[in-house]
């Protein structure tokens, strides 16, 4: 009887310790590739470190063949383990439909909130101007992802393929470590 009580107390203490642990996400790199330089090009794609605890990423895509009325985005999360392997998410979204009906899916609704807060991609198609993602910090990501979803520690890659009119036009990959 006493052993069962001690075990219950140990489990409660362990669960309490687990709920007080917070993950820390650190951005480590960003890579942007224009697969069709006649269609779009990156003016900048950077990860800027202000100090040891504050980094942000920004990118600007110059569009050369506007207006754009058909664009799909493939989003994939991979975890490093003998190379980067698929992990949890790999979805393709019709960007025009996504922007027209942002709350049709909870995950997609979250992405819409992200885009409204950090980019100029906040209206429906057609797109006839450059695309800008400005100063996305790890604080934003930690608040909305690691505090809500339990993620394992490790190195991750978030990759987005931008497909316009059925042709791959650009890829942006963000690398991060979760500890």
């Amino acid at each position: 009887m006493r052993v069962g009580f001690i075990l219950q107390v140990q489990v409660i203490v362990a669960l309490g310790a687990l709920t007080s642990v917070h993950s820390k996400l650190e951005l480590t790199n960003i890579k942007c590739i224009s697969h069709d330089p006649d269609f779009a090009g990156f003016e900048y794609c950077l990860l800027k470190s202000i100090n040891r605890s504050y980094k942000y990423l920004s990118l600007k895509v110059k569009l050369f063949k506007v207006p754009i009325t058909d664009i799909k985005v493939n989003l994939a999360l991979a975890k490093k383990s003998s190379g980067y392997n698929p992990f949890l998410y790999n979805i393709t979204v019709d960007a025009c439909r996504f922007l027209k009906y942002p709350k049709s899916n909870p995950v997609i609704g979250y992405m819409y909130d992200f885009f409204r807060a950090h980019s100029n991609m906040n209206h429906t198609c057609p797109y006839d101007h450059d695309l800008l993602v400005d100063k996305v910090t790890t604080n934003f990501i930690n608040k909305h992802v690691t505090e809500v979803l339990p993620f394992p520690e490790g190195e991750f890659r978030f990759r987005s393929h931008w497909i316009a009119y059925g042709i791959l036009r650009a890829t942006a990959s963000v690398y991060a470590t979760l500890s």
Side-chain angles (χ1 to χ4, degrees):
M1 178 81 161
R2 182 159 167 75
V3 173
F5 176 73
I6 292 171
L7 183 61
Q8 286 177 347
V9 169
Q10 288 174 337
V11 168
I12 291 170
V13 169
L15 289 174
L18 286 176
T19 59
S20 65
V21 172
H22 293 285
S23 299
K24 180 181 179 246
L25 184 77
E26 180 183 356
L27 298 174
T28 57
N29 200 5
I30 183 170
K31 293 181 183 176
C32 301
I33 302 167
S34 176
H35 299 287
D36 185 354
D38 294 331
F39 187 84
F42 289 92
E43 186 171 314
Y44 55 85
C45 173
L46 59 93
L47 180 62
K48 182 151 181 151
S49 179
I50 302 301
N51 59 38
R52 288 184 179 189
S53 61
Y54 184 77
K55 289 182 184 176
Y56 66 82
L57 68 88
S58 293
L59 63 91
K60 183 175 182 182
V61 181
K62 306 259 319 154
L63 300 175
F64 303 122
K65 295 185 179 177
V66 291
I68 298 173
T69 58
D70 176 22
I71 189 154
K72 292 183 178 40
V73 182
N74 173 261
L75 306 167
L77 185 63
K79 186 173 186 215
K80 190 172 187 179
S81 174
S82 300
Y84 284 96
N85 298 308
F87 178 78
L88 211 56
Y89 297 110
N90 186 349
I91 61 171
T92 300
V93 177
D94 180 332
C96 294
R97 187 176 187 324
F98 159 74
L99 291 167
K100 191 170 184 179
Y101 304 106
K103 303 295 183 178
S104 62
N105 177 308
V107 172
I108 292 173
Y110 166 74
M111 291 187 313
Y112 179 75
D113 293 340
F114 168 82
F115 281 116
R116 286 194 52 87
H118 295 283
S119 79
N120 67 344
M121 294 179 269
N122 55 11
H123 63 81
T124 60
C125 293
Y127 262 88
D128 57 0
H129 53 78
D130 298 340
L131 303 178
L132 178 67
V133 175
D134 194 35
K135 295 184 179 177
V136 178
T137 66
T138 55
N139 293 341
F140 178 84
I141 300 167
N142 278 327
K143 175 86 173 130
H144 289 86
V145 177
T146 59
E147 290 182 13
V148 176
L149 298 173
F151 261 72
E153 292 182 353
E155 295 178 46
F156 293 89
R157 177 190 67 203
F158 176 77
R159 184 181 62 210
S160 60
H161 287 302
W162 296 79
I163 304 155
Y165 306 106
I167 300 168
L168 177 62
R169 306 296 181 155
T171 301
S173 298
V174 177
Y175 297 83
T177 300
L178 188 63
S179 58

